Amino acid sequence: MPRNHPRPTRRAVLGGAALATLATAAGAGSANAASAAPASTWPTEFPLPNGFLPEGVTIGAKPYAYFGSRANGAVYRADLRTGEGTIVHAGETGTITNGLKVDHDGLLYLSSGSTGGAARIVDSRTGDLVTTYQLTDPTGHFINDVALLGDRAWFTDSYGAVLYGVPRGGAGDVRELPISGEWVQSAAGISANGLVPTPDGTGLIVVNGGKLYRVPLKTGEATEITLSGTTALTYGDGLLLVGHTLYVVQNRLNQVSVLDLDSHIGTATLSRTITDARLDVPTTAASYGNRLYLVNARFTSPQLPETTFTCVAVPLL
């Protein structure tokens, strides 16, 4: 796969054993494990830049949220303690950032949406572009969301039954994992969207057309997860996993379905639904302490330079 490596990263120079330990630990869960709970004075809603067209959000070990822009691929960082923020990666015209994840070494993994069929790695501290991976043809594909598992960042292609595994740190080749088994690919429109690692770290849970699938990394042979308490996760978008609890953001329904996974990841049982009057087509979620942070993409509003956007925090439990 064509790729560019402007400079070595801290992860790239780690020894093999240290890298394996670091990658496994990072891929074990999808939610932030920070022990300090947000103070009551931290804002539960804060603005994002006008016209930013946000969709993805990610939070690392520190109280900073990163948001990706569909307007130009930029990345905005907000301090959860104050709600104030700044652009840390400027992006460029014709670029999209749909989904993004921050690693514990400060690297951000960005998906390119409908532009370019690529994945980018950006240093969150400097804003520099570290590496670009060309995952597939520039047209006819939609690189939608990303999850970190083991030694790779895994990307969904909403228009193709395949997952792409990009080496964390930017050294190595892309792994293509065709999805087979019970997977049903849409003939028109979005199929694979949000994804998270399974609790045991052997595969990924992917939302597709209101259904959930478990996709093992060894085979790519998908198994549909049985839904209990609901018939479909309509408008399922971003996913967040906390232990065996799965949060499914349902964008145009302005809600988050909370499901309990059984030990075999064979059944997901709806336990409750999170709603909030401040939600306006939320797309993805990230957690910090006891809060769930949701980005309002406002797809049903005019997507103009003056359109306002917000991030909303609700109780996680």
Side-chain angles (χ1 to χ4, degrees), residues 27-283:
S30 301
N32 181 274
S35 58
S40 60
T41 55
W42 291 18
T44 60
E45 184 175 12
F46 51 84
L48 304 178
N50 289 357
F52 191 70
L53 309 189
E55 182 162 352
V57 58
T58 182
I59 301 172
K62 296 181 179 179
Y64 296 98
Y66 297 87
F67 302 87
S69 171
R70 290 177 290 108
N72 61 1
V75 176
Y76 179 81
R77 181 181 64 205
D79 189 327
L80 300 179
R81 296 165 295 187
T82 64
E84 298 177 353
T86 186
I87 299 290
V88 295
H89 175 66
E92 59 182 306
T93 301
T95 302
I96 288 175
T97 294
N98 247 60
L100 72 169
K101 286 294 183 294
V102 63
D103 212 341
H104 40 51
D105 58 4
L107 295 182
L108 286 160
Y109 294 81
L110 316 179
S111 57
S112 60
S114 59
T115 60
R120 289 169 290 134
I121 304 177
V122 167
D123 191 321
S124 67
R125 298 152 297 191
T126 65
D128 292 341
L129 177 66
V130 175
T131 305
T132 297
Y133 278 93
Q134 191 65 44
L135 305 180
T136 186
D137 294 336
T139 58
H141 295 271
F142 193 101
I143 307 305
N144 197 326
D145 210 346
V146 55
L148 304 179
L149 175 58
D151 61 354
R152 293 182 183 271
W154 288 94
F155 292 81
T156 52
D157 180 355
S158 293
Y159 296 158
V162 61
L163 298 173
Y164 298 97
V166 168
R168 288 163 74 170
D173 295 325
V174 174
R175 178 188 171 192
E176 292 188 14
L177 180 66
I179 308 176
S180 59
E182 297 177 3
W183 183 265
V184 178
Q185 183 69 24
S186 172
I190 298 243
S191 285
N193 201 326
L195 73 168
V196 290
T198 57
D200 62 7
T202 63
L204 295 156
I205 298 171
V206 186
V207 64
N208 168 11
K211 298 180 179 181
L212 295 172
Y213 294 87
R214 184 181 187 276
V215 183
L217 293 186
K218 282 187 177 181
T219 65
E221 187 173 349
T223 302
E224 184 178 345
I225 298 172
T226 301
L227 299 178
S228 176
T230 182
T231 56
L233 296 167
T234 307
Y235 296 120
D237 200 330
L239 302 183
L240 176 74
L241 187 68
V242 182
H244 275 71
T245 301
L246 182 67
Y247 296 79
V248 181
V249 183
Q250 294 172 267
N251 53 40
R252 292 176 188 261
L253 298 185
N254 291 319
Q255 66 182 35
V256 180
S257 286
V258 185
L259 302 105
D260 297 323
L261 300 173
D262 69 2
S263 59
H264 301 291
I265 322 301
T267 301
T269 302
L270 181 69
S271 62
R272 65 191 178 98
T273 301
I274 298 172
T275 59
D276 191 291
R278 299 169 298 167
L279 296 180
D280 190 351
V281 195
T283 45

